[in-house]
Amino acid sequence: MDQRTLPPPRLAPLPPETTPELKAQFDGAIARMGFIPNSMLIMQRDPALTRAFAQMSAAIWRSDSKVDLKLKRLISHVASRSAGCKYCMAHTAEGASKLGVDQQKLDEVWSYQTSPLYTAAERAALDVAVAAGCVPNAVTDEMFTELRKHWSEEQIVEIVGVIALFGFLNRWNDTFATPLEDEPLHFGEAHLAAQGWDAGKHRR
């Protein structure tokens, strides 16, 4: 699509200096992601919500997580794909790569049930992520039985916490048609397009 024909954002991301009291939250995003996501630059219109979101994100991605952060990124990716959020798919895939997830493993995430690159524990977590990303929620008792074979209750809370955080983000970014930033956009085009991904309404 010609750049001149792109529709304007539904609600434009504001410059970070618009809300100087959120500098700590924006700095945290830069430290974790390398940039401030447009989702937060839209959200800053409600500073209390932005602070709460940043606190929840910091808890999910903390360094002492009992679930490997690489797997958390893969969980967030498959949950976002199941929900259909292309903005979050690009972000989570690029984030997984930045954390060191091997590109072949990332490429095979949608054949995780049969790929030898995935363990039984990872498959159980990803099964729940896929089912939880659906509307209505498709998680079954049998899935939880399998999850308990591999993960402690504390780890299960972390796994579902990731899925729930992205439940919020999927709806936020799909509703606002949040414009994709250059890094995740280019990553999506390079690594996800072959699986049917396109930026769609997030190319603004």
Side-chain angles (χ1 to χ4, degrees):
M1 183 183 294
D2 190 299
Q3 186 69 29
R4 292 169 296 180
T5 68
L6 293 176
R10 291 176 179 170
L11 203 57
L14 299 175
E17 59 270 19
T18 304
T19 318
E21 62 265 35
L22 293 175
K23 184 178 186 305
Q25 286 74 32
F26 291 152
D27 286 349
I30 292 170
R32 187 169 59 251
M33 303 174 65
F35 57 90
I36 305 170
N38 284 331
S39 53
M40 290 184 74
L41 294 176
I42 292 171
M43 193 186 299
Q44 69 177 305
R45 291 172 171 86
D46 185 338
L49 177 60
T50 308
R51 291 189 192 96
F53 169 74
Q55 186 173 6
M56 175 67 83
S57 295
I60 293 293
W61 304 116
R62 67 188 187 273
S63 59
D64 64 344
S65 172
K66 292 181 171 61
V67 178
D68 184 78
L69 293 180
K70 295 178 184 179
L71 177 59
K72 281 188 171 182
R73 285 292 182 190
L74 293 170
I75 289 168
S76 65
H77 180 69
V78 299
S80 295
R81 179 164 174 174
S82 188
C85 181
K86 295 178 178 180
Y87 178 92
C88 292
M89 286 173 62
H91 267 255
T92 54
E94 193 231 1
S97 180
K98 279 183 176 177
L99 276 177
V101 174
D102 181 77
Q103 188 59 49
Q104 185 180 358
K105 185 167 185 174
L106 187 54
D107 289 342
E108 293 187 20
V109 70
W110 278 92
S111 57
Y112 69 86
Q113 291 174 322
T114 56
S115 170
L117 299 179
Y118 286 85
T119 67
E122 290 172 329
R123 290 172 186 151
L126 293 171
D127 278 344
V128 169
V130 172
C134 297
V135 177
N137 189 297
V139 176
T140 65
D141 290 342
E142 291 74 19
M143 289 177 185
F144 251 77
T145 297
E146 188 65 23
L147 201 61
R148 287 177 177 275
K149 292 179 182 177
H150 306 282
W151 303 100
S152 70
E153 291 187 355
E154 291 82 4
Q155 289 172 316
I156 289 172
V157 166
E158 287 197 23
I159 288 167
V160 177
V162 177
I163 299 166
L165 175 66
F166 277 84
F168 170 82
L169 284 170
N170 296 158
R171 283 155 182 77
W172 181 273
N173 292 305
D174 254 353
T175 300
F176 280 117
T178 306
L180 265 166
E181 307 81 6
D182 287 345
E183 287 187 55
L185 174 61
H186 296 330
F187 190 90
E189 289 173 338
H191 299 288
L192 301 179
Q195 303 167 31
W197 180 91
D198 65 83
K201 64 187 177 184
H202 302 287
R203 187 191 299 277
R204 287 174 180 256

